[in-house]
Every structure is written in C-alpha cells, then in structure tokens.
Amino acid sequence: ELAGLLADGSLREVTHEGWLTSRADFETGAGANAPWRMDAFYRYLRRNRNILMAEGKPIGGRFSLDGENRNPWPGEPTPPRAPRFRPDAVTREVSALIEERFADHPGDMDLGALPTTRANARRMWTWARRACLPTFGPYEDAMSREHRGLFHTRMAALVNIHRVLPRTVLNDALVADIPLASKEGFVRQLLGWREFVRHVHEATDGLREVPGMTVPTRDGHATPSFLDAHQPLPAAFWGTPSGLACLDTVVADVWKDAWSHHIPRLMVLANLATLLDVEPRELADWFWVAYLDAFDWVVEPNVLGMGTFAVGDLMTTKPYVSGAPYLHRMGDYCETCAFDPKRTCPITPLYW
C-alpha cells in the first residue's frame, strides 16, 4: 500500500536504528540460501565494517576467541551486583494495573530491578560497561547458584526494545579498555548472533518456511520437530521440584529475574527438554511466558533453531546436548544435588 508513495518520493525510508545489518549483509555474509552459519556471517561483518581488524586480519589472530571464553568461575573475582532503580509514577501505575489484572500469573514483580526510564537504561549500560565487560569473556559460559548473572551485562531486553541502541553499545564496547577476549566475545554476541537470528527468522517467515522441511503450524506459529519430539513440558518448568538441582535452580531463578544468561537457557533448559523429547513449541511458548527479552525473532531461532534442533541444520550444525559432566564442570549446581554427577545423575544416561 505504501509502495507508490515511496516510488514518487512522498515517503522516504530510513534505516532502522535497532539493527546493525541489512538483508543484503545477511545474504552476502551467510548466503542467499540455507543452511546459514553465524560464523561466516560474523567474519564477513568484521571484514566489511573493519571491526577488530588490523591490516585485513583479525586482531589477536582469530575471528573468534570463544576457546578462551569457556572457563568455569572459580569463585573469584566477585561478580558485581546489578543496580537498583527507584520506580517513577508511570512505573508504579503500570505495576498497579499488573497487580489488578494479572496477579495470578507466575513470577514476582520487582520494580527496583527494572530500568524503565531512559535515564535508568543509560545507567544500566554504564554499570554493565564498567562492572561486567572487563571480566565478561572468560566466564561467559559459566554458571553459578549464588551469582546467577556472573559478569553478563543483562542488556538484552533494553537493546531489543531499542531503549539503548545497538550502535551505541557496540561503539562503547569497541573503545572500552578491556581484555580482547571479553571485547570480542561481547561483539560476537551483539554483531554476530543477535543480527544472525533476526535475519534467519525473517528469511523463513518465523521458521514457517524451512527449506527441505514441511513445517506444521498451530495458531499461526511454527511447530517444527526435526527430532520427532512430542512430549509435554514437565511440571518442573513451572516450579514443581524435579530433584535435579540444575533444572530446579535455573527455573526458580528465571521466575525471580525473568532472565538468565545463554548457557542456562541452552545447556540446562533446552538441553533437558531435548533429552526428554519435549515438543519444541511447548518450550518456545514457555520462554515467551518466562523471559523479559522474549520476542518472536529472539525465542524462535534460539529455542526452535539452536536449543532443540527442531529445524535441523538450518542454522546450527548439530543438537546442543550434553550429559552431567559438562554441567558439573561449568556450574556448581551438582554440589547441592541429590544425584551424583559421576554415578547417579539421570542426565548422562538420557544423553547416551
């Protein structure tokens, strides 16, 4: 309907500031046709934008320093505490509406944790830049019961609603005086993965049109299941204790924060759901309910694409699953669990 107005100059299309890349970037970097790989897309963007490059080569000798960013957290340094915010009149008004209309919904509302104003959003990024980014890299895959955020910035929701623009976050990270592994790891999440999943979602019409697959839909949403998994989501995801400390702790933390970083999402929640043959759409719908940063372009590629391998190798090469050894190595949940990770944990036989 607007095409004619664009054609005669009555309307002008401007670039959306909520994104750092275009469809043309995606097709050039990742390819016009599936399967797509984030690594190729990310390398293209680094070269094309001259980001963390020197004389045509990646600073540090490699495009990805992911191998240096897989350390378990040893207890030091102490992770920072997220800032608290004073709710303004609008925030309190919305809170009253939520309490009135949605009091029976799961989770708790903590207004002091929400940077709802522009000033608070800026303060949140200032805190994240100074307190989190310097140590982000080495421990970005680690998990902790006591410090569930560790050194993650918790900026996803603010960037996804464009309260803080990704260009601002990227530029600030690039000039920050922080170790290269932390800088590259953060840039890869923002410039690589965030942009990549958005393009995959758009190119497949919300994963409804996957090359080589006939994707069923339910209520308009894609319900792929490449691994033919159709079990219901366990009650443990809604707070019923399972006995698995990793799952029960992460679920409880999500209901407290409406957030967790990418490894509890991928290697606890999605891993367990995949090993239990849970229908991928049920897990995706749970993420919609539970997470503060849940958008269709976020949840569906991450849960249906990466977390459960529900669309096959469209955007990842393999299912991301593990037994107890990985969880034992990268987190401290096993210390309080009724199961022994080396002898009695059911996750390992489920994996094999």
Side-chain angles (χ1 to χ4, degrees), residues 83-315:
R84 304 285 297 176
F85 306 97
R86 180 175 298 174
D88 64 1
V90 174
T91 303
R92 291 193 296 272
E93 180 184 355
V94 174
S95 172
L97 288 171
I98 293 170
E99 292 287 7
E100 175 187 342
R101 301 181 185 181
F102 306 110
D104 60 340
H105 282 213
D108 299 315
M109 187 161 51
D110 180 5
L111 298 184
L114 299 175
T116 56
T117 68
R118 189 180 187 192
N120 285 345
R122 288 175 170 174
R123 181 183 158 206
M124 184 76 179
W125 173 230
T126 298
W127 167 81
R129 192 168 69 246
R130 295 174 179 173
C132 300
L133 282 188
T135 323
F136 167 72
Y139 308 118
E140 67 173 284
D141 284 2
M143 297 176 287
S144 168
R145 299 189 314 275
E146 182 179 358
H147 300 281
R148 48 189 178 266
L150 286 175
F151 303 96
H152 287 258
T153 65
R154 301 180 182 233
M155 288 296 297
L158 290 172
V159 174
N160 288 350
I161 64 173
H162 314 134
R163 192 57 143 168
V164 179
L165 293 177
R167 175 64 59 186
T168 299
V169 173
L170 176 64
N171 289 342
D172 286 350
L174 288 174
V175 300
D177 184 17
I178 59 177
L180 179 61
S182 290
K183 183 177 295 190
E184 187 281 318
F186 185 77
V187 169
R188 181 161 22 95
Q189 298 293 331
L190 183 71
L191 181 67
W193 190 252
R194 178 177 184 268
E195 298 285 324
F196 178 71
V197 298
R198 175 253 177 155
H199 285 300
V200 169
H201 192 263
E202 185 177 71
T204 59
D205 188 27
L207 301 182
R208 297 177 188 89
E209 300 175 5
V210 176
M213 284 186 69
T214 299
V215 180
T217 61
R218 185 168 61 240
D219 299 326
H221 297 292
T223 58
S225 186
F226 181 80
L227 300 178
D228 198 27
H230 299 290
Q231 294 298 317
L233 192 71
F237 281 75
W238 300 103
T240 300
S242 71
L244 292 168
C246 55
L247 179 60
D248 294 342
T249 302
V250 170
V251 167
D253 290 346
V254 171
W255 290 128
K256 291 173 187 173
D257 295 343
W259 176 88
S260 62
H261 72 75
H262 65 283
I263 295 300
R265 299 187 197 210
L266 179 65
M267 300 309 298
V268 177
L269 299 172
N271 180 29
L272 264 293
T274 301
L275 296 181
L276 292 169
D277 288 331
V278 170
E279 182 178 296
R281 185 78 238 177
E282 285 208 17
L283 182 66
D285 288 346
W286 182 85
F287 269 78
W288 268 105
V289 173
Y291 276 87
L292 190 68
D293 57 2
F295 287 77
D296 52 358
W297 64 268
V298 176
V299 167
E300 290 173 347
N302 277 289
V303 176
L304 301 179
M306 188 181 195
T308 61
F309 206 63
V311 290
D313 68 351
L314 176 76
M315 54 181 288

